[in-house]
Amino acid sequence: QVQLEESGGGLVQAGGSLRLSCAASGGTFSTYTMAWFRRAPGQEREFLASMHWSDNAYYADSVKGRFTISRDNVKKTVYLQMNSLKPEDTAVYYCAADARVSYVNSWQPALYEYWGQGTQVTVSS
C-alpha cells in the first residue's frame, strides 16, 4: 500500500512560481511511475507530467516548457516545479503512482492505483 501526500500549493500571482512536492510512503518508490494531474472546477482531470522509474519524463503540451517534474528516490518524493503561472493554472493538483504504468501510457489517469488528496493552487491575475 502506498500513501501519497502533496504539499506546496497556495496563492501566487500570475507569472510567479510554485514547487509542489509529493511524498510517498510504503511500496518501493523507485519502481513507480509518478505523475501529476490537476482538476479545475467543472473540468475533467488533466494530465500534466509524469516520470517513469527509468527517469523518462513526459509532459502535456499545455505545460511543456513551464513545468518540470523531478524525483528523489532517496527522499521518496516527486516534485513539480511550476513557472510562469497563469490564472488558468488554478486547480487542485494531485500526484499519482503506479508501478505498472509504462512511459507511453503515463498520461492516462485510470491506470494509476494510488492518489494523493490534492493541494490547491490559485493563480491571481
Side-chain angles (χ1 to χ4, degrees), residues 91-114:
V92 178
Y93 284 67
Y94 300 90
C95 69
D98 201 295
R100 301 162 295 178
V101 176
S102 67
Y103 170 73
V104 294
N105 294 320
S106 60
W107 58 273
Q108 299 184 55
L111 298 181
Y112 291 86
E113 180 173 4
Y114 303 109

Side-chain angles (χ1 to χ4, degrees), residues 45-86:
R45 188 162 37 188
E46 177 188 9
F47 169 78
L48 300 175
S50 66
M51 181 164 274
H52 191 249
W53 55 262
S54 62
D55 284 346
N56 283 319
Y58 179 51
Y59 295 93
D61 288 343
S62 60
V63 303
K64 198 174 295 182
R66 297 192 300 128
F67 291 8
T68 303
I69 189 171
S70 61
R71 66 192 294 163
D72 185 329
N73 289 337
V74 174
K75 294 183 178 179
K76 297 184 178 182
T77 300
V78 64
Y79 304 97
L80 186 69
Q81 177 67 44
M82 306 186 295
N83 299 328
S84 303
L85 284 163
K86 307 173 183 179

